[in-house]
Amino acid sequence: MIPVNHRELAEFAEFRLLDLKDDLEQADSSIAAVLQSVAQETVMRNFIAHELRGKTSGCYTITKEEELADTKRPDLRFHGNGFDSPA
């Protein structure tokens, strides 16, 4: 499935995050114990972005701490390929 609008992209992002959660909680080769020792938010954000980028299948890109118009900075944003509506 390749997302074609922001709603599909948001669903896709949710599925990818749930996949990562499942890998950490259930996989035989889970690195959850290693991640529990991470104290800095930036280190964890970099890890999550790295994992999500590895599963893009050309459907999206990930950006970190993009500044929005209201000066907020979400940790990660998914940008769909072929349309301009991030999630």
Side-chain angles (χ1 to χ4, degrees):
M1 172 185 134
I2 296 176
V4 296
N5 59 45
H6 73 284
R7 285 191 178 101
E8 288 182 8
L9 180 61
E11 285 180 8
F12 199 81
E14 182 180 5
F15 292 142
R16 287 293 175 247
L17 290 167
L18 289 172
D19 286 344
L20 177 57
K21 179 181 183 284
D22 186 59
D23 284 348
L24 291 170
E25 293 177 348
Q26 306 297 328
D28 291 339
S29 59
S30 174
I31 62 164
V34 173
L35 294 176
Q36 287 175 341
S37 67
V38 172
Q40 293 181 335
E41 178 188 348
T42 55
V43 173
M44 185 64 72
R45 183 175 49 245
N46 288 342
F47 166 77
I48 293 170
H50 177 283
E51 290 296 304
L52 293 172
R53 281 189 188 113
K55 298 178 182 187
T56 66
S57 302
C59 296
Y60 62 87
T61 57
I62 297 285
T63 58
K64 297 183 293 180
E65 293 212 1
E66 255 183 303
E67 186 168 343
L68 305 180
D70 60 3
T71 68
K72 291 184 180 174
R73 292 178 168 274
D75 288 336
L76 298 172
R77 289 183 88 190
F78 287 71
H79 292 269
N81 293 337
F83 62 95
D84 186 24
S85 233

